[in-house]
Amino acid sequence: MGLLQLLVVAVLASERRVAGAAEVFGNSSEGLIEFSVGKFRYFELNRPFPEEAVLHDISSNVTFLIFQIHSQYQNTTVSFSPTLLSNASETGTASGLVFILRPEQSTCTWYLGTSGIEPVQNMAILLSYSERDPIPGGCNLEFDLDIDPNIYLEYNFFETTIKFAPANLGYARGVDPPPCDAGMDQDSRWRLQYDVYQYFLPENDLTEEMLLKHLQRMVSVPQVKANALKVVTLTANDKTSVSFSSLPGQGVIYNVIVWDPFLNTSAAYVPAHTYACSFEAGEGSCASLGRVSSKVFFTLFALLGFFVCFFGHRFWKTELFFIGFIIMGFFFYILITRLTPIKYDGNLKIFHDDGVFWVTFSCIAILIPVVFMGCLRILNILTCGVIGSYSVVLAVGSYLSTSLSYITLNVLKRALNKDFHRAFTNVPFQTNDFIILAVWGMLAVSGITLQIRRERGRPFFPPHPYKLWKQERERRVTNILDPSYHIPPLRERLYGRLTQIKELFQKEQPAGERTPLLL
């Protein structure tokens, strides 16, 4: 009998361990949503607001909690009370609240809801921190919440900007918070530093499941440091705003870790995500990225580029048209976009200065032709191979998301937007990018090799059109047996044609007196 009891206890213990897994699924229709610290909870929210959420058995060494809830594109609301107040609630796709715990407090309640018509699938988690940890958003003076741990995100075609409220030093339960602006010494919040992180979702995947799965890697401090790319570190003297290059259709998650170098403690803000496009129907929708006109244009452009890649040096005029079209199209697009209301929808700090960027860009553009000045045929063949094959990459980019298209797009953004110099231009480089890069390299190498082998023993370049015309003119003058020799000069032919046209409009003159024939 004792053995049976031991088996029952073991089974119950194993069930409890399973119930304490990292992810818990549920539905808000049950009326009360229970949370555990550090465990993700999936649930669905329906109208009307609110649904009550609760956390029990809070440890005494926890001084504040951060609750956060995430959805893909539908807004959800989290509030301290059933009544929505602007300074006690937060609404968005990534919303969070900070709970400053009172002495002896072991239970915490709050409220969740959505104002949308459709049910919203959510993922939420509670994180606990001690009195030594800095409080994200603890010195908020810009947004509505008194303590605001949220990251606010805005985007347009050119850049995505995140903003967040400054943090404050941690403190024990029942103690007044340290003043935010009483001093700027090492005993104040001015010693805090902010690390901004960026995380890319898999390309060409806009599913809700993929977003919520990867958001779990951007919630706590250890996970963010292990999985994301640190872009920049800000001090308390810097503006709490960072800009990035927009990547329409590419999912990106941003988060900020505030670090106290004196105590070597950290805390994470509530991560924010964006696709730089809208999930609602209409222009700019994520589902309608890549207009039909753009796809047709880049497909035809790729066909011409493919021809230039393999035959551009021999078909000289076609190559001149192709390169000239690129250059003139580039500059006219800049002029039209900057001077008219018409719009079409490596992070070194030194290059954030427009003067340094454009001087460097121009020097690189001039340096390559100077290096190959002694072998112009090789330079021209290299140009045909590289640029012609890159047009294929641009065509692929109009159908699939690829980071290689931003080689030219970021330069164009820099020329069109005066604020783009402050944006960080990181892009993901994933499996499809490696495949497209391999195709680009294969086409370029094949085109260059073919043209070099075919042009051996031939003149470096086709003869100049003016020289051909001059030779032809001399030949006609010296060779009287040439039928073209007897053709009048162009001036005489034009004069004769004008004379004939004038005669058509002249009245017939009287012929004078007529007499019958004498027999």
Side-chain angles (χ1 to χ4, degrees), residues 146-315:
D146 294 332
I147 301 177
D148 197 334
N150 297 285
I151 296 175
Y152 295 89
L153 188 148
E154 298 175 349
Y155 72 87
N156 54 35
F157 175 75
F158 299 99
E159 60 182 351
T160 297
T161 302
I162 62 170
K163 299 179 181 179
F164 56 95
N168 199 0
L169 300 178
Y171 52 94
R173 294 195 190 191
V175 178
D176 292 334
C180 290
D181 296 311
M184 299 183 65
D185 53 16
Q186 291 299 310
D187 293 330
S188 66
R189 62 105 176 172
W190 295 94
R191 75 190 189 203
L192 299 177
Q193 297 181 10
Y194 305 88
D195 295 329
V196 181
Y197 286 84
Q198 185 181 36
Y199 181 88
F200 296 106
L201 297 176
E203 292 179 319
N204 302 307
D205 194 330
L206 304 179
T207 59
E208 183 179 67
E209 294 77 12
M210 186 61 65
L211 170 66
L212 299 182
K213 173 184 175 182
H214 285 269
L215 269 170
Q216 297 183 20
R217 303 180 182 180
M218 289 292 289
V219 171
S220 65
V221 173
Q223 292 172 324
V224 173
K225 291 183 176 180
N227 296 290
L229 171 68
K230 184 167 75 170
V231 178
V232 66
T233 298
L234 304 176
T235 66
N237 295 318
D238 296 322
K239 187 177 180 180
T240 54
S241 176
V242 183
S243 296
F244 302 84
S245 174
S246 291
L247 309 174
Q250 171 62 53
V252 187
I253 304 174
Y254 301 97
N255 206 347
V256 177
I257 292 179
V258 54
W259 175 52
D260 186 342
F262 185 77
L263 299 177
N264 195 25
T265 55
S266 302
Y269 282 70
V270 177
H273 67 275
T274 182
Y275 295 88
C277 58
S278 172
F279 279 85
E280 304 295 335
E283 187 176 357
S285 170
C286 296
S288 64
L289 285 176
R291 304 177 181 178
V292 176
S293 58
S294 299
K295 293 179 180 180
V296 172
F297 171 78
F298 281 110
T299 301
L300 297 176
F301 188 67
L303 293 175
L304 180 58
F306 187 83
F307 178 83
V308 170
C309 176
F310 287 90
F311 308 102
H313 186 73
R314 179 50 46 191
F315 293 86

